[in-house]
Amino acid sequence: MKRIVTIQDISCVGKCSLTVALPIISAMGVETAILPTAVLSTHTMFQNFTCKDLTDQVEPVAAHWKSEKIGFDAIYTGYLASEEQINLLKKFFADFKTEKNLVIVDPAMADNGKLYPAFDEDFAHKMGELCGLADIVLPNVTEASYMTGMEYREVYDEEYIKEMLRALVKLGAKTALLTGVGFEEGKTGVMGYDSASDTFHYYSHRKHAKSYHGTGDIFSSTFVGAVVNGFAWEEAMKIAADFTAESIYITMNDENGCWYGVNFELAIPGLLKALGR
Ligand code: PXL
């Protein structure tokens, strides 16, 4: 059985980070080890959330895993709690990277042109360094603009997105995917760029009228699960985009749907069909 480790926070209520990565990647048939970076009462779009930083746990947990000779088919990082954690994860990558496994970084720190409340530009710059050590990076356009220094635009053309992808791989990763990319009214999607083959792939689908928190984490978790299941990144990004869109659609049509996250749980049977299960 494949095993990955995902390193991000636990937002106890919020349908993001570990509370989506664990169920999604596990449902995809992959053992999902976790290294929590912080425990929050909710994600940071709620008011008055609590937060217990777990930076001091990264090194001892990693040292124990090393002594037990535990390895991973992929290392997937998401929302991190401090710049110090970024430094510790650079070392974690060096210790756990092998010739065969994949390091996948989702620089979850910003959206809609703005950094999340806990972060500043220094943090974004450091996150760019972590992305440089990854095989695959999964930012949205806002995060990519902070890391590459390119101007953030809400309206853009294909050239702007391609330039951004090229700037992302210059940070050091082999492959970069940009999420939330749409070139026409009513559509959104993902564009990826592989530096080794110098190829771009774009996948788009209907853009739903509502957007929800945590959907970036759902995309990234599904992408990681699909890649570890042997799908090429071009296929994995389609599976992940379709699952994310379906989760949004189900939530929009649920009159009891909550504001803070999507009903991805109800889309899991469809995801398993997409995997051929
Ligand atoms: O979905 C990204 C995310 C993860 N974790 C926490 C967050 C957010 C986005 O705001 O606040 C704690």
Side-chain angles (χ1 to χ4, degrees):
M1 193 170 176
K2 302 271 186 171
R3 180 195 305 120
I4 66 116
V5 60
T6 179
I7 306 173
Q8 45 187 325
D9 72 280
I10 299 181
S11 290
C12 298
V13 170
K15 290 180 178 246
C16 68
S17 43
L18 285 181
T19 63
V20 306
L22 262 171
I24 292 172
I25 301 170
S26 298
M28 295 172 90
V30 175
E31 180 185 342
T32 309
I34 62 170
L35 180 39
T37 55
V39 179
L40 295 89
S41 52
T42 62
H43 61 53
T44 60
M45 299 296 132
F46 283 80
Q47 300 278 306
N48 305 321
F49 58 87
T50 68
C51 180
K52 170 77 178 163
D53 183 291
L54 297 175
T55 304
D56 66 357
Q57 294 303 299
V58 175
E59 277 182 308
V61 168
H64 183 218
W65 288 345
K66 265 276 151 209
S67 73
E68 294 286 335
K69 300 197 168 35
I70 294 169
F72 304 103
D73 295 293
I75 300 163
Y76 155 40
T77 72
Y79 186 102
L80 305 178
S82 64
E83 279 188 35
E84 196 186 340
Q85 280 183 2
I86 296 180
N87 289 333
L88 292 171
L89 291 187
K90 289 180 180 171
K91 169 141 193 324
F92 187 96
F93 290 176
D95 286 346
F96 288 90
K97 176 77 191 146
T98 65
E99 298 227 318
K100 285 201 189 136
N101 69 7
L102 282 177
V103 173
I104 301 175
V105 173
D106 175 353
M109 60 180 173
D111 206 358
N112 300 313
K114 282 201 298 234
L115 287 165
Y116 294 148
F119 304 127
D120 59 18
E121 298 218 4
D122 283 346
F123 182 89
H125 179 75
K126 278 257 170 204
M127 188 60 101
E129 292 175 9
L130 194 69
C131 281
L133 301 175
D135 294 297
I136 306 178
V137 293
L138 307 171
N140 58 36
V141 176
T142 306
E143 289 156 348
S145 82
Y146 274 104
M147 294 190 298
T148 60
M150 276 178 69
E151 178 199 8
Y152 172 75
R153 290 191 197 155
E154 304 225 327
V155 181
Y156 43 71
D157 57 10
E158 218 177 287
E159 240 355 272
Y160 169 82
I161 294 296
K162 287 185 167 170
E163 191 187 331
M164 197 168 245
L165 284 163
R166 286 207 166 94
L168 278 169
V169 299
K170 277 214 188 95
L171 296 175
K174 297 187 193 78
T175 305
L177 269 62
L178 268 175
T179 57
V181 172
F183 299 112
E184 48 182 310
E185 196 61 29
K187 292 217 150 190
T188 188
V190 194
M191 190 181 275
Y193 174 63
D194 177 56
S195 57
S197 56
D198 192 27
T199 49
F200 292 92
H201 285 273
Y202 181 55
Y203 179 67
S204 70
H205 52 76
R206 191 150 67 95
K207 180 172 178 162
H208 295 306
K210 285 183 89 172
S211 64
Y212 293 88
H213 212 65
T215 48
D217 299 343
I218 289 172
F219 174 86
S220 296
S221 299
T222 315
F223 178 83
V224 170
V227 165
V228 172
N229 268 294
F231 288 88
W233 67 268
E234 303 92 315
E235 283 305 311
M237 77 179 197
K238 290 183 196 164
I239 292 169
D242 285 343
F243 178 64
T244 308
E246 181 63 11
S247 299
I248 293 171
Y249 185 71
I250 291 172
T251 313
M252 283 167 52
N253 291 297
D254 173 3
E255 58 185 28
N256 298 314
C258 62
W259 66 269
Y260 58 78
V262 292
N263 296 354
F264 71 91
E265 299 88 339
L266 300 177
I268 286 178
L271 170 62
L272 300 189
K273 276 200 199 107
L275 294 183
R277 299 263 162 85

